[in-house]
Amino acid sequence: MRFYFRVAVSATGIVKRFQLKQDSANPHSDHPLKNVVWGRIYSRVGKLWKALAVAAFFMALAAATQPTLAVAMKPLLDEGVTGAKPEYVWLIPLAIVGLVLLRGICSFFSDYLLAWVANHLLLGLRSDMFERLLSLPDDEFKRGDSGRLMNRFTVDAGNISSIATSVATVLVRETLVVISLLAVLFYMSWQLTLIILVVLPSSVFVSRLFMKRLRRINRETISSNAKLAEVVSEGILAQRVIKLFDGYGVERERFGDVNSQLRRHQMRNAIADSALRSIAQVIIAVAVALAIGVALNEATQGVLSVGSFAAFMAALAQIFDPVKRLTSVLSNMQRMLAAAESVFDLIDKPGEDRELGADFRGPVAGRVQFQHVTHRFESAERDTLQDVSLNIEPGQIVALVGRSGSGKTTLVNMLPRFVVPGSGKVFIDGVDIQTLSLQNLRAQLSLVSQDVVLFNGTIATNVGYGALKDVDEHQIRDALAAANLLEFVDGLPNGIHTEVGENATRLSGGQRQRLAIARALIKNAPILILDEATSALDNESERQVQASLETLMKGRTTLVIAHRLSTVQNADRIVVLDHGRIIESGSHQELLAIDGAYAALFKMQFAAQEA
């Protein structure tokens, strides 16, 4: 019990001592600041101290019953078997049964409380991770680290919760068992016990030699698990491409490489873990052999009675397993530390503060201004945007066209601050958007893109998603009607309460687009972004979606990104970008008249359609 509270106090002290240095510490180094990870784990566990204290109490009771069999051997053999006290023949076995029953009850309650602690720890870790995940800036998701992110939620967090409580259990329970057994050994023969105490610490020294290697192997295993999750995820998402392009062999090879790499890491971990246990067992066996030899010598000389010798040997036999578990817990500690580094690396990532900044003072008209904005992505060789200036009046429809990579999407992504200009400023109604809170800024924007993202739920929950979850059914139906989707929805068995499946896979492309339009209509934001909203549709679906979009664009400042120039001919202004610069700007007719880049693109598409 006392040991447990020492662990808790030490962990709290470590947290306080190193909290200010934590941000500068490298989580993947073997620097002494790795103690911060320990502190952070057990500071979370320490918040559940009431359950832990009760669990520690039950563990202490269970540990106290461990030496009873050894203690009972002396009176049973010296006085019970000889007939000096015949009642011992039934009293001692009955006492042993009672103590074992008590031990089972205590173990049950301690295991239950520790499982409760582990699951609450896991709940808190995953909640903090998901909260940080949602607040990560857009750049973090462009790194293609989805496999690693998923692995942190499913594997790493689970390892922390399960191993942290199991480590605490082993440290508390097995330490108490060892102490109680050592007390019995000292009572029986302090000379023999000294032999054990002299030899056993060498097993701790050997264990420390393996710790760094085990930690490095566990980091590599975590990385391989993330790669495996990534390959499997891509296999699920791209299953049609794999089938159509006969990519079975390629995917088998990719999976085989990652799977084999993971197997190698796990084997290295198993070898190191097994070697650690084996060496520790040999050291313990040497200590036991020396003690047995001396004990036999004392027994033959009459120094030890038969009962004392039997009790000593029974206690010695029982001390072997808890010492072995205390030694092997070092391997679990390294697994936990490696997993904790991965989890806390996500939790510590700088996230967006949605509430930091000012709010618009009144209704937003929708005037958008880009002033000399420039941007270059990390590790890119050239600027994505170069000194771009563009003014858009409230209610205007402005189309951005140009070749792929010309900077259209990057420019538009500056409005919700998914992308931050390297230089220059973006204004809405004359207010620099960098001074606005993200929550208030993004409330003024709505998006319909080619890659429609819908959620596994009903049509109603998808239309009234997020902050709009409390809109009534009449508003949802009105939005569906404006998006030309109500007739289809009313024909479904459960109407607006029909489940659409994961990412609305039960709907066609056009229906999914119109559902996204209905969601944008419900939001009723003054500024609308249309990112290739009809490019992936057939002609009939495009016609239906275009009609819905015309309803959506009325009275809103709209920025349209389009490759199909036929969809933007009615825009108030068309802006042509090339290599990050605006090279042309005007109406459809004006741009055709100057016979420049836009005219060339339009003629090329028109010729392709005629063919």
XYZ file of all heavy atoms in Angstrom, residues 52-87:
252
model
N -7.980 3.341 -7.365
C -6.662 2.726 -7.246
C -6.330 2.399 -5.802
O -5.725 1.358 -5.504
C -5.595 3.660 -7.826
C -5.496 3.683 -9.350
C -4.566 4.801 -9.791
C -4.981 2.349 -9.870
N -6.706 3.288 -4.885
C -6.416 3.051 -3.472
C -7.154 1.814 -2.964
O -6.586 0.979 -2.249
C -6.799 4.279 -2.648
N -8.421 1.689 -3.351
C -9.188 0.509 -2.937
C -8.607 -0.745 -3.582
O -8.485 -1.800 -2.934
C -10.673 0.677 -3.312
C -11.465 -0.573 -2.944
C -11.264 1.888 -2.606
N -8.222 -0.634 -4.879
C -7.612 -1.781 -5.557
C -6.303 -2.177 -4.887
O -6.015 -3.364 -4.710
C -7.373 -1.453 -7.026
N -5.510 -1.163 -4.490
C -4.248 -1.445 -3.810
C -4.490 -2.132 -2.467
O -3.734 -3.025 -2.065
C -3.467 -0.153 -3.606
N -5.550 -1.730 -1.784
C -5.902 -2.374 -0.510
C -6.221 -3.855 -0.725
O -5.730 -4.724 0.012
C -7.099 -1.656 0.117
C -7.681 -2.359 1.312
C -7.011 -2.342 2.527
C -8.885 -3.034 1.215
C -7.550 -3.006 3.640
C -9.423 -3.695 2.308
C -8.758 -3.684 3.525
N -7.027 -4.150 -1.724
C -7.365 -5.547 -2.002
C -6.132 -6.332 -2.469
O -5.974 -7.517 -2.139
C -8.470 -5.630 -3.058
C -9.848 -5.352 -2.507
C -10.587 -4.276 -2.965
C -10.403 -6.163 -1.541
C -11.855 -4.007 -2.456
C -11.668 -5.910 -1.024
C -12.394 -4.829 -1.484
N -5.246 -5.661 -3.250
C -4.023 -6.332 -3.676
C -3.129 -6.647 -2.477
O -2.482 -7.695 -2.427
C -3.276 -5.469 -4.689
C -3.846 -5.512 -6.082
S -2.758 -4.762 -7.312
C -2.983 -3.036 -6.940
N -3.081 -5.721 -1.528
C -2.274 -5.954 -0.331
C -2.813 -7.138 0.471
O -2.044 -7.972 0.969
C -2.253 -4.694 0.530
N -4.149 -7.226 0.593
C -4.737 -8.361 1.295
C -4.425 -9.669 0.576
O -4.077 -10.678 1.215
C -6.257 -8.186 1.401
C -6.782 -7.214 2.464
C -8.301 -7.174 2.424
C -6.297 -7.621 3.849
N -4.554 -9.642 -0.769
C -4.259 -10.849 -1.545
C -2.794 -11.239 -1.399
O -2.462 -12.429 -1.276
C -4.608 -10.619 -3.012
N -1.911 -10.241 -1.415
C -0.477 -10.524 -1.291
C -0.149 -11.093 0.083
O 0.725 -11.956 0.224
C 0.326 -9.253 -1.548
N -0.861 -10.617 1.110
C -0.595 -11.078 2.474
C -0.930 -12.557 2.656
O -0.385 -13.225 3.549
C -1.386 -10.230 3.466
N -1.846 -13.074 1.824
C -2.214 -14.492 1.947
C -1.229 -15.418 1.242
O -1.296 -16.628 1.418
C -3.621 -14.724 1.361
O -3.596 -14.433 -0.053
C -4.656 -13.832 2.039
N -0.341 -14.830 0.396
C 0.556 -15.653 -0.418
C 1.463 -16.566 0.425
O 1.611 -17.736 0.105
C 1.416 -14.747 -1.317
C 2.358 -15.481 -2.248
C 1.682 -16.002 -3.493
O 0.549 -15.615 -3.774
N 2.337 -16.887 -4.206
N 2.092 -16.051 1.500
C 3.040 -16.908 2.217
C 2.396 -17.901 3.179
O 3.108 -18.626 3.868
C 3.900 -15.912 3.014
C 3.407 -14.552 2.692
C 2.093 -14.699 2.045
N 1.069 -17.926 3.220
C 0.405 -18.765 4.236
C 0.754 -20.237 4.090
O 0.931 -20.940 5.082
C -1.120 -18.589 4.130
O -1.526 -18.842 2.777
C -1.533 -17.194 4.537
N 0.845 -20.716 2.827
C 1.162 -22.128 2.622
C 2.547 -22.445 3.166
O 2.754 -23.474 3.829
C 1.092 -22.469 1.133
C 1.412 -23.930 0.766
C 0.429 -24.877 1.444
C 1.374 -24.127 -0.755
N 3.489 -21.534 2.897
C 4.853 -21.769 3.394
C 4.894 -21.732 4.918
O 5.534 -22.579 5.558
C 5.789 -20.714 2.814
N 4.213 -20.748 5.511
C 4.209 -20.626 6.978
C 3.565 -21.843 7.619
O 3.989 -22.315 8.690
C 3.490 -19.331 7.401
C 3.334 -19.260 8.917
C 4.256 -18.116 6.899
N 2.522 -22.357 6.956
C 1.798 -23.499 7.529
C 2.612 -24.790 7.511
O 2.303 -25.737 8.259
C 0.488 -23.701 6.763
N 3.621 -24.866 6.666
C 4.403 -26.101 6.552
C 5.140 -26.434 7.853
O 5.249 -27.597 8.238
C 5.404 -25.977 5.405
C 4.769 -25.871 4.043
S 3.791 -27.330 3.616
C 5.075 -28.570 3.445
N 5.658 -25.413 8.544
C 6.454 -25.671 9.756
C 5.612 -26.320 10.863
O 5.949 -27.412 11.350
C 7.096 -24.373 10.253
C 7.909 -24.522 11.527
C 8.594 -23.219 11.863
C 9.202 -23.249 13.268
N 10.023 -24.420 13.542
N 4.478 -25.709 11.309
C 3.701 -26.371 12.366
C 3.074 -27.683 11.894
O 2.911 -28.604 12.691
C 2.631 -25.334 12.723
C 2.542 -24.443 11.544
C 3.917 -24.403 10.960
N 2.731 -27.742 10.583
C 2.095 -28.960 10.091
C 3.057 -30.145 10.184
O 2.667 -31.248 10.605
C 1.643 -28.753 8.635
C 0.868 -29.912 8.012
C -0.452 -30.138 8.738
C 0.601 -29.624 6.536
N 4.321 -29.940 9.797
C 5.296 -31.030 9.814
C 5.890 -31.263 11.204
O 6.096 -32.419 11.625
C 6.420 -30.747 8.810
C 6.009 -30.763 7.335
C 7.183 -30.376 6.453
C 5.491 -32.142 6.929
N 6.185 -30.155 11.914
C 6.844 -30.309 13.214
C 5.904 -30.762 14.327
O 6.310 -31.494 15.234
C 7.494 -28.995 13.633
C 8.747 -28.696 12.814
O 9.244 -29.624 12.137
O 9.213 -27.534 12.838
N 4.614 -30.317 14.259
C 3.707 -30.614 15.357
C 2.465 -31.396 14.921
O 1.911 -32.155 15.705
C 3.270 -29.312 16.041
C 4.449 -28.536 16.647
C 4.037 -27.192 17.190
O 3.488 -26.393 16.382
O 4.237 -26.944 18.380
N 2.041 -31.187 13.670
C 0.848 -31.887 13.210
C 1.143 -33.322 12.828
O 0.484 -34.267 13.294
N 2.135 -33.545 11.975
C 2.465 -34.902 11.505
C 2.995 -35.759 12.647
O 2.719 -36.963 12.732
C 3.510 -34.821 10.366
C 3.965 -36.212 9.952
C 2.904 -34.095 9.169
N 3.750 -35.164 13.567
C 4.308 -35.937 14.689
C 3.249 -36.308 15.721
O 3.495 -37.134 16.601
C 5.411 -35.117 15.384
O 4.860 -33.890 15.887
C 6.550 -34.819 14.415
N 2.085 -35.677 15.654
C 1.005 -35.975 16.594
C 1.004 -35.112 17.816
O 0.158 -35.285 18.704
N 1.950 -34.172 17.917
C 1.991 -33.304 19.099
C 0.721 -32.473 19.210
O 0.193 -32.271 20.310
C 3.222 -32.401 19.028
N 0.240 -31.994 18.099
C -1.023 -31.245 18.058
C -1.866 -31.804 16.915
O -1.856 -31.298 15.797
C -0.763 -29.746 17.857
C -0.091 -29.085 19.063
C 0.011 -27.585 18.888
C 0.630 -26.943 20.126
N 0.750 -25.464 19.981
N -2.616 -32.868 17.195
C -3.368 -33.553 16.126
C -4.422 -32.664 15.470
O -4.808 -32.886 14.325
C -4.014 -34.738 16.856
C -3.991 -34.363 18.302
C -2.780 -33.514 18.500
N -4.913 -31.637 16.203
C -5.940 -30.765 15.593
C -5.397 -29.977 14.396
O -6.171 -29.496 13.564
C -6.505 -29.796 16.631
C -5.526 -28.773 17.185
C -4.755 -29.298 18.391
O -4.769 -30.529 18.625
O -4.160 -28.474 19.095
